[in-house]
Amino acid sequence: MAYRLGVDVGGTFTDLLLLEERTGAFWRHKTPSTPADSSIGILNGVTAICEAAGVAPADIEVFLHGTTVATNAVLEGKGARVGLIVTRGYRQIMQIARSFVPGGLAGWVVWNKPSPLAALVDTFEIGGRMDARGAELEPIDEAEIRSALERLKAQGVEAITVSLMNAYLNGAHERRVGELAAEIMGDVPTSLSHEVLPEMQEYERTLTTVANASVRPIVGRYVRNLRTKLRDAGVAGKLSLLRSDGGLMSSEKSEHHPVSLLMSGPAGGVTGALWVGKKAGIHNILTLDVGGTSTDVALIENLDARRVRTTEVGHLSVRASALDVKTVGAGGGSIAYVPELTKALRVGPQSAGAVPGPVAYGKGGTLPTVTDANVVLGYLPEALLGGTFKLDREGSVRAVQTIADALGIGLYEAARGIIDIVNENMFGALRMISVQQGYDPRDFALMGFGGAGPLHVNAVARLMGSWPAISPVSPGVLCALGDATTRMRTETARSFSRRFDQTTSEEVIALLEEMARQTRDELMADGLPEAEITSLFEIDVRYEGQAFEVPLAIDPETLRRDGLAGVTSRFDEEHQRLFTFKMDTPHELVNLRAVALGTALDLPAAEPPQGTGDPIAAKIRDHELWIDGRMHPAVIYERAKLRKGDVIPGPAIVTEMDSTTLIELGCVGTVDAIGNILITLA
């Protein structure tokens, strides 16, 4: 039997999902994350889930992993010390940067410009130059390069970036610098800009390559350490990591190209939601992934997740494909407080995380969190993780009472205030990826997952007008399901700056097919058979004179049939949708991209038996919860015993091993053909 293991490491819990590929049978497990060394939590989980399934670690053929190692290195400023080699005259490229200040018009008054990832003292210029067509204008001087590398070695840099002018057209000079770096610097990893991002705009190319170099030592150590520990534990299968764009890359490639992993963590939830949507026949979905520390939201239209060409982590914005995920500091562990100055309730972004965690977890936490508010209101029953985890309700009441006292209101009003604020924070993030992108949220369903997503999805759907609110099967480990069911992906890009009347569709197709061959060869080198690889293409288009381009997906057949005229009309439509106008200006091609994809695992969805519509067999006990200003009688159900077609009137709570679903007053939940709970207004 062939087993795949999906592992998603979050700030609070590490989620595991073990799949038997042929039958679709699965086992799930949650274990506390170990932030100091996340491989410890992973191995604890691997041991536990293999025991539960009765399989040996050696039976796991594919190990698929979403990780936040690269993200955290950037957010915490713990990247490596990077040495940068640039063309003469460009030494201040990282300091000059782009003249963009976030915030309002007076943002520059209070904004502290972040320190560049490569310091000026570690930046060296060399002679040599390629022209704008990739021909050599001036040769490089090897003695000068050796001198620069010797000085960087003496300064103790931990990674090298080489980014030379026009290298995206001809990387010969960069390659030679890389060879000399390998000779002089030994094991210090070197990132070349024409390999990391072969596109014009030298600042973006340099920044992306420096970011890649900055996280390379950390990601490399983590991946090698994890691979060794898995081998020692008996896991002989292939280790792949989830890319920011929702595809997979081999662990070996991730060591060289970690800039593609910056949004690896949140991407798992989106790929899991895509799988659920496909099986349930729901094509337009807003995702609400609520963990212990943060909430990630994304938009899926016609079963295709929105992608962006920039990955943003903290103040860093690099040019690497990513799913369009927005993150807010609102999760189960978000801490509630009342500032002395304003006396107005605040929730997050500070989080109790995995250690010490919410007060209810009994691990030494003392500050009131969103989880504690859910416990006080009765939304989170005292037994979690299938009864193996008992919550400290008295502790939660004591913690939330401090908020009630500070505000001069009742305990339940304070707890509901915490929930309302965190829901509004989630609502704000969802508006950013829907309304602000030109989408009407009422055309989408809202899917809540992660440990706390199904607790909040009903209330947030009400704010958004997005129905049904969906609680998928195993919502707590949906990210791990996404990791386990997604497919290998790689891409390459090339700048091709031409007006449409200066090129032909034949020339564009020839270039795209050459790039497709390159990406297919990469996947074949990772062990994928050629017959299983498909290619997709994307081109960036803008009106002549614009500074920003719009990416459009395209395939060679459509390009041959409709020609470049078909591309311009599609661009005009997309420009109209995004910016509410189009122009009569000539169109300009900017970049070409080719994507190679392996086949996705077509895992069958397990169907629950047909029910009568009455969920009485799944009832655990009667319960009370505080909603709409007073206590209401409610019922707690066990999810594993629900049947297809069961109708659950609110208020009700549905518990399962990895999550809890709240159906609010005035709403009703219906179990669909594959076990999802679809919540609608009664």
Side-chain angles (χ1 to χ4, degrees):
M1 285 195 173
Y3 292 92
R4 290 164 82 94
L5 180 64
V7 178
D8 181 73
V9 179
T12 311
F13 282 106
T14 294
D15 304 330
L16 299 96
L17 189 86
L18 182 67
L19 287 170
E20 203 286 289
E21 288 185 25
R22 197 173 39 78
T23 61
F26 67 88
W27 296 263
R28 55 194 170 168
H29 184 72
K30 278 178 105 71
T31 186
S33 291
T34 47
D37 179 0
S38 48
S39 64
I40 296 168
I42 292 173
L43 284 154
N44 292 342
V46 169
T47 307
I49 204 164
C50 286
E51 276 177 20
V55 303
D59 295 333
I60 298 169
E61 286 187 3
V62 194
F63 184 100
L64 308 128
H65 176 32
T67 176
T68 54
V69 171
T71 324
N72 294 344
V74 171
L75 289 175
E76 294 164 15
K78 292 181 179 169
R81 182 175 176 178
V82 180
L84 173 61
I85 292 180
V86 295
T87 301
R88 188 170 291 123
Y90 286 85
R91 184 164 174 244
Q92 282 84 6
I93 187 166
M94 293 293 286
Q95 284 67 29
I96 294 169
R98 283 265 174 237
S99 58
F100 170 72
V101 176
L105 287 175
W108 58 273
V109 177
V110 293
W111 184 59
N112 290 325
K113 190 174 175 180
S115 301
L117 292 176
L120 196 58
V121 70
D122 295 327
T123 305
F124 287 86
E125 299 178 326
I126 60 168
R129 184 72 180 252
M130 297 291 179
D131 71 11
R133 288 192 165 73
E136 187 178 75
L137 268 181
E138 179 196 335
I140 48 174
D141 177 347
E142 295 207 356
E144 182 185 34
I145 295 166
R146 285 179 185 276
S147 162
L149 288 166
E150 292 288 1
R151 288 171 69 188
L152 284 171
K153 186 177 184 179
Q155 283 170 209
V157 299
E158 300 159 296
I160 298 280
T161 295
V162 186
S163 182
L164 305 179
M165 274 305 287
N166 296 324
Y168 68 93
L169 293 161
N170 182 346
H173 287 176
E174 283 193 352
R175 270 193 298 277
R176 184 59 191 143
V177 178
E179 287 163 8
L180 293 171
E183 179 190 316
I184 292 165
M185 308 288 286
D187 289 338
V188 172
T190 302
S191 299
L192 308 179
S193 79
H194 77 277
E195 291 177 354
V196 173
L197 185 71
E199 291 183 17
M200 61 184 185
Q201 294 184 315
E202 63 275 10
Y203 171 66
E204 280 74 10
R205 180 160 49 87
T206 305
L207 176 65
T208 302
T209 314
V210 167
N212 191 70
S214 168
V215 296
R216 254 183 90 167
I218 290 166
V219 171
R221 268 197 304 276
Y222 172 74
V223 169
R224 287 190 295 275
N225 175 37
L226 179 60
R227 233 182 358 235
T228 305
K229 286 188 174 178
L230 288 171
R231 296 287 175 268
D232 293 346
V235 179
K238 187 176 170 203
L239 171 62
S240 297
L241 283 93
L242 192 69
R243 295 161 49 104
S244 306
D245 58 19
L248 290 167
M249 69 198 301
S250 67
S251 63
E252 291 77 14
K253 190 169 181 206
S254 73
E255 289 181 57
H256 296 284
H257 211 284
V259 77
S260 296
L261 298 176
L262 286 173
M263 293 296 278
S264 169
V270 184
T271 52
L274 276 166
W275 183 85
V276 173
K278 192 173 168 188
K279 297 295 175 188
I282 298 167
H283 294 183
N284 290 349
I285 302 166
L286 294 168
T287 69
L288 182 72
D289 178 0
V290 187
T293 309
S294 60
T295 292
D296 303 315
V297 300
L299 181 141
I300 295 169
E301 184 184 29
N302 289 328
L303 287 178
D304 190 22
R306 257 182 73 92
R307 285 189 175 80
V308 285
R309 281 294 292 136
T310 49
T311 304
E312 293 183 6
V313 177
H315 61 76
L316 180 71
S317 177
V318 297
R319 185 138 330 154
S321 281
L323 295 173
D324 188 7
V325 176
K326 295 282 183 280
T327 301
V328 285
S334 291
I335 295 167
Y337 60 101
V338 180
E340 195 59 44
L341 192 65
T342 60
K343 292 289 182 191
L345 177 60
R346 296 274 181 272
V347 182
Q350 301 83 359
S351 170
V355 182
V359 181
Y361 288 5
K363 288 187 181 174
T366 55
L367 299 171
T369 66
V370 172
T371 296
D372 296 310
N374 276 313
V375 170
V376 167
L377 293 165
Y379 303 165
L380 205 52
E382 276 116 273
L384 282 187
L385 297 185
T388 59
F389 200 84
K390 287 277 187 286
L391 294 176
D392 175 9
R393 183 178 159 79
E394 286 72 30
S396 292
V397 168
R398 275 197 308 276
V400 176
Q401 188 64 52
T402 63
I403 298 290
D405 295 345
L407 293 170
I409 57 175
L411 171 71
Y412 291 115
E413 284 84 358
R416 185 67 211 194
I418 293 169
I419 300 300
D420 287 343
I421 286 176
V422 86
N423 288 342
E424 284 288 343
N425 291 345
M426 294 172 192
F427 176 42
L430 282 161
R431 281 181 62 87
M432 283 164 67
I433 51 120
S434 58
V435 178
Q436 289 183 22
Q437 305 276 15
Y439 294 97
D440 186 338
R442 292 169 296 188
D443 298 334
F444 291 78
L446 181 68
M447 187 181 295
F449 51 92
L455 265 178
H456 295 268
V457 70
N458 193 163
V460 179
R462 218 187 266 269
L463 293 170
M464 295 289 293
S466 302
W467 301 101
I470 306 168
S471 170
V473 177
S474 300
V477 295
L478 193 78
C479 291
L481 173 77
D483 296 344
T485 55
T486 191
R487 52 189 174 166
M488 297 295 285
R489 177 185 171 104
T490 188
E491 67 170 56
T492 187
R494 186 175 298 181
S495 284
F496 185 73
S497 186
R498 300 270 183 90
R499 267 212 339 234
F500 273 61
D501 56 14
Q502 294 170 341
T503 184
T504 63
S505 49
E506 288 71 28
E507 186 181 12
V508 174
I509 288 167
L511 271 172
L512 288 173
E513 290 187 336
E514 181 191 324
M515 292 159 69
R517 271 195 302 279
Q518 181 190 331
T519 53
R520 293 170 84 86
D521 289 346
E522 276 185 43
L523 287 191
M524 284 157 69
D526 281 339
L528 258 73
E530 187 166 16
E532 289 183 10
I533 301 172
T534 51
S535 291
L536 302 173
F537 301 102
E538 209 175 61
I539 53 182
D540 292 343
V541 184
R542 66 187 179 194
Y543 291 120
E544 190 178 25
Q546 279 188 327
F548 296 97
E549 55 274 355
V550 173
L552 298 173
I554 192 87
D555 58 80
E557 291 70 39
T558 308
L559 196 52
R560 281 194 189 92
R561 188 186 67 231
D562 301 342
L564 293 176
V567 177
T568 56
S569 62
R570 267 190 61 205
F571 170 79
D572 287 340
E573 281 171 26
E574 183 67 359
H575 200 276
Q576 174 82 42
R577 190 186 69 75
L578 286 170
F579 307 112
T580 71
F581 71 96
K582 53 190 177 189
M583 293 159 64
D584 293 331
T585 319
H587 296 73
E588 191 177 18
L589 261 168
V590 185
N591 299 308
L592 306 176
R593 270 183 303 283
V595 179
L597 295 162
T599 48
L601 174 67
D602 190 19
L603 182 75
E607 292 192 17
Q610 183 65 50
T612 59
D614 185 350
I616 190 70
K619 181 176 173 178
I620 297 175
R621 60 184 169 88
D622 288 318
H623 181 64
E624 267 198 328
L625 50 80
W626 200 90
I627 201 161
D628 283 2
R630 63 186 179 89
M631 278 291 183
H632 287 269
V635 179
I636 300 177
Y637 297 96
E638 186 179 341
R639 183 145 192 184
K641 293 182 179 171
L642 287 173
R643 300 288 181 257
K644 189 169 19 179
D646 281 357
V647 177
I648 307 156
I653 292 167
V654 182
T655 66
E656 56 190 305
M657 189 283 284
D658 56 348
S659 192
T660 302
T661 304
L662 171 67
I663 301 168
E664 291 198 340
L665 190 70
C667 294
V668 63
T670 308
V671 181
D672 76 358
I674 58 166
N676 300 312
I677 299 173
L678 308 182
I679 304 168
T680 52
L681 292 167

